[in-house]
Structures are given as C-alpha cells and as structure tokens.
Amino acid sequence: MSNDARRYFNLPSPFPMKRGGALHGARVAYETWGSLNEARDNAVLILTGLSPSAHVASCPEDPSPGWWEGMQGAGKAIDTDRWFVICVNSLGSDKGSTCPASIDPASGKPYRLDFPELALEDVAHAAHAVVASLGIDRLACLIGCSMGGMSALAYMLLHPGSVRAHISVDTAPQAQPFAIAIRSLQREAIRLDPQWNDGNYDIHGGMSAAGDIADQGDASQSPRYPDIGMSIARKLGVITYRSAMEWNGRFARIRLDPEQRDDDPFGLEFQVESYLEGHARRFVRTFDPNSYLYLSRASDWFDIAEYGHGSVLEGLKRIRIEQALVIGVSTDILFPLEQQEQIAEGLQAAGAAVEFVALDSPQGHDAFLVDIESYSRAIGGFLARL
Amino acid sequence: MSNDARRYFNLPSPFPMKRGGALHGARVAYETWGSLNEARDNAVLILTGLSPSAHVASCPEDPSPGWWEGMQGAGKAIDTDRWFVICVNSLGSDKGSTCPASIDPASGKPYRLDFPELALEDVAHAAHAVVASLGIDRLACLIGCSMGGMSALAYMLLHPGSVRAHISVDTAPQAQPFAIAIRSLQREAIRLDPQWNDGNYDIHGGMSAAGDIADQGDASQSPRYPDIGMSIARKLGVITYRSAMEWNGRFARIRLDPEQRDDDPFGLEFQVESYLEGHARRFVRTFDPNSYLYLSRASDWFDIAEYGHGSVLEGLKRIRIEQALVIGVSTDILFPLEQQEQIAEGLQAAGAAVEFVALDSPQGHDAFLVDIESYSRAIGGFLARL
C-alpha cells in the first residue's frame, strides 16, 4: 500500500478473549507520531470510537488528513513535538487489525461469525500489548473517545499502574438502555438485510488495506452485500451522533433544488435527508458489516459495574491514576452528560485529581470531532499542565 | 363487523387534495360519544396521531378499550356526560378511512402509490366535513394530539370561526429536521425492504375492518409484505416516542432470562430489546405500509409558516379562537417543548387566552398516552372551565 503509515503488532498467540475462545496469529494495526524520549515517559495512547482507523492525523508516510487532524500535530492540542502519540486500531475493527473479515488460520477462510465474541476488554488488552512492545511501562496519558473511552476504562482497570493521566471524551462507564436500543436497531437493520446472508456476504478489499482481508467480490459487480442495512444503520448513527439543535440552525426546513431530487416516490426532498444519504454512501462500503456488529455489541456489553460488584462508582474506584480530564457535551443523547459526571466522580473518589468540563457545543456526541476549538482548549490545556 | 362503533361519512366527490388531484367516492370513519345538545354547542373533536384509529374510548357498540381510554368517558377529563365527542380517523389512514390500500374506483384495484399526495390540510378538511355533516357550526373544543395537533392547526386556520377553544397536545407548528430525519429513515426502512416491492406488497384484510380494503393475502401464508421494514420503522418510532430517562429507570441493563433468548447470533439479550420487539410485532401487520408512508410524509410537509409568509408566528397569528391549552413535555425529543411554546405564543399573539403547561413526565412524546394523571389534570381542568 502506498501512503500507509500503519505498523502491525503480532499479538501473543493464542490471544485469549474475555468471553471465551482465543485468536491465533492475530495482529493489530497502529500508527505513531513524534518521538519517544529517553525516559520513555512521554507516550500518549489514543483509543478510538467504533469506526475510525488508527490514522489520527497526517504524517510524512501518509499525508491524508486523519480523523482528528485539527487536534493533533506539532503545536496542536496533542502536541507531537512533545508527545509520542500512539493510536491502535481496535481489535475487531477492519482497519488493519484482525477482525471477522480476516482469514481464520484454522479454516483458511474469513472468520465471519466464527470470530470469537469480542469485548472492549479484549480491545484494551491488545492495545496494551502494543504499548508494552514499544518498551513503554507507563503512559503519560491515555485518551479515549466515545467507544474508545470505555476501552480506556478497561485498560486502566485491567493494567494497574500503566497510566499516569487520563482524558475521557464523550463516553460512558456502561451503556444505558437508550444507547443499547439504538445500537440494537442498527444491528438489526444489517442482520435483517437478506444480503447480509447470516454474515456470508461478499467481503471486498475496498473496505480495508489490510493484506489478510479476504477479497471475494468487486463493488462494481454488485456483490452480495448488505448495502441497505448498512445504510440504515449509518443514518441512525448519524442522527444520534448529532443534535436536533444543530440541525435546526443548519438545515431548518430547507428543500433540495429540484435538479438534486430523484424521481423516486418518497425520495429525498429536504436537505437533512440528503445529508444523511451522503454520510451513508461514504460509509456503507468502507466498513465491514460483521466487524460493525461485533464492535457495536461489545459497546453494549461493556459495564464498569462488573468490576464493582454491580456498582459503577465502585468499579471506577478501582482505577488508579494521578490525574484525569473528563469532557462531555450537553447535547449528546447517546452518551449523556450525566454519564461523564459519573466517570469524573468515580475517578475522583479513587484518588485522582479530576477536571470536569461540560461543553455546550451544539453538535451532540460528534462535537469532539467538530468543535475542535472547545475540545482543543480543554485537552491542550490539560496536557500542557502535565 | 361485530363490536364496531365506527360510522362513515362520504366525502364530497370529487374531494380535491391540497397538492393536486382528487379523491372520488372517498369516505372517512368516525366514532362519537355522548349527546349533542340542542344548541349544538357542546361538540369536541379529537384529531389523532399517525397510527391510532377513531376508537378513543370504549362504548356500548365497541367495549374494547380505546387508545385514550383513561382520558375520556363519563366523569373523566373529556367528560362524555357533558361533551359530544367526535373522533375522525385521518383521511389516508387504514383504520376505516379511504387510504392507499382502498380500492381506486377508477381502476378497481387498490390505489397503492396512485393515491394522490396527502397533506394534513386534507386530513383537516375531511374532518371538518364530518363535523359540518353533523350540523355543528362551531366546535366547543378541538383537541389535537401529536400529528393530530398539526392537523388541528390546519383545521382552525382553514376554517375560521369553526372552533371556540383548542387543546394542543405534544405537537408542533412544523416539522424540525430531527423529526424529518427520523421519519425519513422510517420510510426508507420500509421502501428499501424488497418485500415492499414499490408499494405492490400483498394487502391483507387483517389490518383493517373497512369493507373496501382489498384482501389479497393471508398473513398465515407468508404473503409478500415488508415485515422487516415495518419492524425497523416501528422500533425507531418507539425509541423516539419514549425517553432515555424513563428507560434508565425501567430497563437499566437488565438481561432477559436465558429461556427468553433465541439462538440467533446477535439476538435479543437486554430487556429493552425485547420491549422494542414486542412493540414491533404488535404493529407490523396492523398498519398498512403505504398508508404509513403517506401519513409520515404529510407530517414532514406540514408547516404553519406557509400561511405566514415563511413565519411560524405569523402563520399562528391567523388562527382565531377564544381559548387554548397548550401542553408539552420536557422529555419529548420528537416534538420538543420549545415548539409547544411557539404554538402558545402564536395563539396568544392572535388574541386567544392561552394556558401553557410544560410537564416533566419521563415518558417522552408518548407521555400523553401514559401519564394520564398529569394530562387529565390539565385537560380536564381546562374543559371544566369552558
């Protein structure tokens, strides 16, 4: 692959999974920026949301913009002149890490639904193995966004002493029923698409540059692929990632121009519908549907209360770090602000010095990807004081 | 039909539609409760949400509970000892009124997508025609819930002097982009279901007792029918009709018992998923998919600002009534409270004496169907003072 900055780490084999089973010959993709200092104490690890790759920001090997381009780089909030930044693609994601679309060495065919049940604890363990392989005993800071925030909680709890400071971004200590309902419906849209075919759709290489992903189809030849289910899942995602408030100002009731409309009865008419359609089109063929299902369900399953005898607070109190910044946004309906408050309270009760930042960005859950100014101020300020 | 309290009113033929075309030989179903007094000034009309029938409450001819059973009856908030209550099934709904599943007299076959484009103004005109046919010049009160609240605004605006007092329940003066996005995605789930077949699925009689609905299939014989699309649409509806707050208390992260689960990978695991599944199963075959599409889109299209040179306030200011009660609920994400405030402000600016009630019921948009105590207090109190 040209323009690819990914490196790969081979996980210990077998790599046991939390809910049973193990992966053999598995690996995870990661990228790094900046330089590890001699004391090896300037490392920052970023754990991502459900769909992003490890490509946080551009770099010489891959100058394409990353998913947090405005946040990370020389002189930016996550300053790569000072920090050695690592981002690990989640285990189970198709952006280079072993996932349900990868070849199962036992069969020589893609895992599909034979991939073992995935938990965010597994994602955390895999990321920790990468960090250890780089000779880093203790992260200066662990940053987790959205689903990655839950993976980060697992990381800190399961690897005591491995993290000095933590930045928790728009996440939750456990999935609430509203979020479970949304994700369950997204999964259902994919699963009920006849083209999903119980996971046996045509996997195609376009969705991933990882060499071990099977390429059994060609998008131009209309392979068997759950486009409809993926499109509905993505649109539902986008609806819940943003906020009604933002859309009132952005789209109001503006109609598409007549030439932008199609002849389809009940077809696109309002700008907001076209916006969702654009998001869906960009997503549908760039994310493996089975990987999506596994990561989505892992998000539902994660529950810090499992480690606190049923109590979120007690689970959080088992995390030993020095400092934390917890950020949330009032317009987030998927990871509501009260869940960030829980995280802040729990980490504080555990002895960390905690800063809690509640933003009023109108962009909802996605604010951390859009309102770079507000998030930069909070994250950059916190990191500068470390 | 046994146990059927519906009566039918034949609309003038042709019945012109707002957006073009006309219906021939169309009718609407309605039910009544109580007695019209000699002065004919005790009539209350109820306009419904998208899916309910005209069966608001039980009566001798149909003792089955209605959709607002707790609200209406002798001695209840809508006191049938005092008021002559009429509820008209929306034109375009399959609960007895002419709808896309009805026979088109021009072809002898169901209209399907040849049904003319439906607007809530058409729903309002049809309801007004029923009221006029009963010899009622002026309603004592017009009550509109959810979509019916929008139909009620159209009714009052298009038929000046026909309403004395108005009760607006959990509704909006126009659809905002979040609501449009949700409804658009619901329609898409149905339209993209291959079994929808461009509207040419097997219509079956089970969904309606109206005699003129084609019965071309039998649910027990697996007719071609968009079950999957309807199920996803309904679940998305239920998610947005309720509230995250209610579900945190009601479902939390409670799991189903093992024997309640199925073997399906990614199948139901949490109670909230089972709750949605139950709602979907009860709905899928009881509402004609094309009727759903038409009424859903009519809800997106309605915009009181069309009557106010682009201004919601100016549109509302054209409504001439004496008194109004406007109720909304803070947990409603589909028809947010600020939209009820707009209605209250507009009607007040138009000269009505307006009471505004903002409830904190946890049940979201559906609160008017669930929190009967709070809504009874507001509605019963208002009606008692008329």
Side-chain angles (χ1 to χ4, degrees):
Chain A
M1 278 301 287
S2 59
N3 296 334
D4 193 341
R6 283 178 294 188
R7 289 191 265 169
Y8 297 91
F9 174 71
N10 293 322
L11 294 170
S13 186
F15 182 81
M17 304 287 274
K18 182 197 179 202
R19 295 175 63 96
L23 290 173
H24 297 263
R27 66 180 196 176
V28 282
Y30 67 100
E31 294 191 29
T32 69
W33 299 257
S35 307
L36 188 60
N37 63 16
E38 259 184 56
R40 297 177 179 269
D41 67 359
N42 70 329
V44 170
L45 172 66
I46 298 175
L47 297 178
T48 79
L50 194 150
S51 56
S53 70
H55 192 53
V56 178
S58 56
C59 58
E61 304 95 303
D62 183 354
S64 66
W67 58 265
W68 228 5
E69 187 72 25
M71 186 68 68
Q72 178 182 298
K76 294 184 182 172
I78 304 173
D79 187 349
T80 50
D81 284 343
R82 178 178 174 199
W83 304 108
F84 175 63
V85 183
I86 310 153
C87 182
V88 179
N89 180 234
S90 303
L91 183 65
S93 162
D94 69 342
K95 301 294 183 285
S97 297
T98 298
C99 72
S102 305
I103 297 296
D104 177 358
S107 70
K109 294 178 185 168
Y111 284 101
R112 303 185 185 275
L113 303 194
D114 289 333
F115 199 78
E117 290 186 344
L118 179 72
L120 294 185
E121 285 84 346
D122 304 318
V123 172
H125 282 309
H128 181 263
V130 174
V131 171
S133 78
L134 296 170
I136 298 159
D137 289 332
R138 198 172 184 217
L139 293 167
C141 187
L142 171 58
I143 302 175
C145 307
S146 188
M147 184 193 87
M150 298 195 283
S151 307
L153 293 176
Y155 188 109
M156 296 185 289
L157 199 145
L158 299 173
H159 299 281
S162 67
V163 175
R164 248 187 83 204
H166 172 49
I167 301 178
S168 170
V169 180
D170 295 11
T171 191
Q174 63 177 190
Q176 286 185 340
F178 180 81
I180 293 173
I182 293 286
R183 285 194 286 254
S184 173
L185 191 52
Q186 292 175 305
R187 293 194 296 272
E188 187 165 351
I190 296 168
R191 290 165 49 227
L192 292 183
D193 184 333
Q195 298 294 315
W196 179 60
N197 193 23
D198 291 322
N200 296 302
Y201 50 85
D202 295 335
I203 295 171
H204 58 90
M207 69 186 141
S208 173
D212 67 346
I213 295 226
D215 186 351
Q216 304 188 325
D218 175 347
S220 66
Q221 287 174 34
S222 296
R224 177 165 202 151
Y225 190 88
D227 293 285
I228 291 173
M230 287 292 282
S231 177
I232 291 173
R234 181 58 173 176
K235 289 186 179 186
L236 182 52
V238 173
I239 289 173
T240 52
Y241 296 157
R242 311 300 287 213
S243 89
M245 190 207 298
E246 182 205 21
W247 286 1
N248 287 343
R250 185 168 172 185
F251 301 117
R253 292 179 52 81
I254 300 169
R255 253 76 167 190
L256 296 172
D257 296 330
E259 64 267 24
Q260 293 175 286
R261 298 199 200 173
D262 50 34
D263 294 336
D264 195 4
F266 300 97
L268 308 180
E269 174 175 346
F270 292 93
Q271 273 196 356
V272 68
E273 295 178 284
S274 168
Y275 164 82
L276 291 174
E277 182 67 19
H279 268 282
R281 289 208 178 144
R282 288 191 294 279
F283 182 79
V284 161
R285 293 281 174 120
T286 62
F287 205 97
D288 176 61
N290 289 338
S291 295
Y292 186 92
L293 294 174
Y294 272 82
L295 288 163
S296 166
R297 191 171 53 171
S299 300
D300 283 357
W301 279 336
F302 182 73
D303 186 1
I304 198 82
E306 276 181 22
Y307 303 94
H309 305 289
S311 156
V312 167
L313 185 66
E314 292 304 315
L316 289 165
K317 279 168 71 176
R318 292 185 50 194
I319 292 173
R320 293 276 170 270
I321 53 173
E322 295 173 10
Q323 284 175 263
L325 167 66
V326 180
I327 315 176
V329 56
S330 58
T331 53
D332 190 339
I333 58 175
L334 210 52
F335 295 83
L337 200 52
E338 78 237 29
Q339 294 203 284
Q340 276 82 51
E341 286 168 355
Q342 279 188 305
I343 294 173
E345 281 168 27
L347 295 178
Q348 187 139 33
V354 177
E355 292 175 40
F356 178 65
V357 175
L359 296 172
D360 280 322
S361 318
Q363 296 92 355
H365 180 66
D366 267 359
F368 75 100
L369 297 171
V370 185
D371 185 4
I372 296 297
E373 191 183 336
S374 298
Y375 281 76
S376 276
R377 196 179 308 124
I379 292 172
F382 179 81
L383 286 173
R385 289 190 296 276
L386 282 187
Chain B
M1 279 299 286
S2 59
N3 296 336
D4 192 341
R6 283 179 294 187
R7 288 191 264 169
Y8 296 91
F9 174 71
N10 293 321
L11 293 170
S13 186
F15 183 80
M17 304 287 274
K18 182 198 178 202
R19 295 175 63 96
L23 291 172
H24 296 263
R27 67 180 196 177
V28 282
Y30 66 100
E31 294 191 27
T32 70
W33 299 258
S35 307
L36 188 61
N37 62 15
E38 258 184 57
R40 297 177 179 270
D41 65 1
N42 71 328
V44 170
L45 172 66
I46 298 176
L47 297 178
T48 78
L50 194 150
S51 57
S53 70
H55 192 55
V56 179
S58 57
C59 57
E61 304 96 301
D62 182 355
S64 66
W67 57 265
W68 229 5
E69 187 73 25
M71 186 66 68
Q72 177 183 300
K76 294 185 183 172
I78 305 173
D79 187 349
T80 48
D81 283 344
R82 179 178 172 198
W83 304 108
F84 174 64
V85 183
I86 311 153
C87 181
V88 179
N89 180 234
S90 301
L91 183 65
S93 162
D94 69 342
K95 300 292 181 288
S97 296
T98 298
C99 73
S102 304
I103 297 297
D104 176 358
S107 69
K109 296 177 184 166
Y111 283 102
R112 304 185 185 272
L113 303 194
D114 290 331
F115 198 78
E117 289 185 346
L118 179 73
L120 294 185
E121 285 86 344
D122 304 319
V123 172
H125 282 310
H128 181 263
V130 174
V131 172
S133 78
L134 297 170
I136 297 158
D137 291 331
R138 201 173 184 216
L139 292 166
C141 187
L142 171 59
I143 302 175
C145 307
S146 189
M147 184 193 86
M150 299 195 282
S151 307
L153 293 177
Y155 187 109
M156 295 185 289
L157 199 146
L158 299 173
H159 298 281
S162 68
V163 175
R164 247 187 84 203
H166 172 50
I167 301 178
S168 170
V169 181
D170 294 11
T171 190
Q174 62 177 192
Q176 287 185 340
F178 181 82
I180 292 173
I182 293 287
R183 284 193 287 253
S184 174
L185 191 52
Q186 291 175 304
R187 293 193 297 271
E188 187 164 350
I190 297 168
R191 290 165 47 225
L192 292 183
D193 186 331
Q195 299 293 316
W196 179 60
N197 194 23
D198 292 321
N200 295 302
Y201 50 86
D202 295 335
I203 296 172
H204 58 90
M207 68 185 144
S208 172
D212 66 347
I213 295 224
D215 187 351
Q216 304 188 325
D218 176 348
S220 67
Q221 289 175 33
S222 295
R224 176 163 204 154
Y225 189 88
D227 292 285
I228 291 172
M230 287 292 282
S231 177
I232 291 173
R234 181 57 173 176
K235 288 186 179 186
L236 182 51
V238 173
I239 289 172
T240 52
Y241 296 157
R242 312 298 289 213
S243 89
M245 190 207 298
E246 181 204 23
W247 286 1
N248 287 342
R250 185 168 172 184
F251 302 116
R253 291 179 54 79
I254 300 169
R255 253 76 167 191
L256 296 172
D257 295 331
E259 64 269 21
Q260 293 175 285
R261 298 196 198 175
D262 50 35
D263 294 335
D264 194 5
F266 300 97
L268 307 180
E269 174 175 347
F270 292 94
Q271 272 196 356
V272 67
E273 295 178 284
S274 168
Y275 164 82
L276 291 175
E277 182 67 19
H279 267 281
R281 289 207 178 144
R282 289 191 293 279
F283 182 78
V284 161
R285 294 281 174 119
T286 62
F287 205 94
D288 176 60
N290 290 337
S291 296
Y292 186 91
L293 294 174
Y294 272 82
L295 287 163
S296 165
R297 191 169 55 169
S299 300
D300 283 357
W301 278 337
F302 183 73
D303 186 0
I304 198 84
E306 277 181 22
Y307 303 94
H309 303 290
S311 156
V312 166
L313 185 66
E314 292 304 316
L316 289 164
K317 279 169 69 175
R318 291 185 51 193
I319 292 173
R320 295 275 171 271
I321 54 173
E322 294 173 11
Q323 284 175 264
L325 167 67
V326 180
I327 315 177
V329 56
S330 59
T331 53
D332 190 340
I333 58 174
L334 210 53
F335 295 83
L337 201 53
E338 77 237 31
Q339 295 204 285
Q340 275 83 51
E341 285 169 355
Q342 280 188 306
I343 294 173
E345 282 168 25
L347 295 178
Q348 187 140 31
V354 178
E355 291 175 40
F356 178 65
V357 175
L359 295 173
D360 282 322
S361 319
Q363 297 93 354
H365 180 66
D366 267 359
F368 74 100
L369 297 171
V370 184
D371 184 2
I372 295 297
E373 190 183 336
S374 299
Y375 281 77
S376 276
R377 196 178 309 122
I379 291 172
F382 180 80
L383 286 173
R385 290 189 296 277
L386 282 185

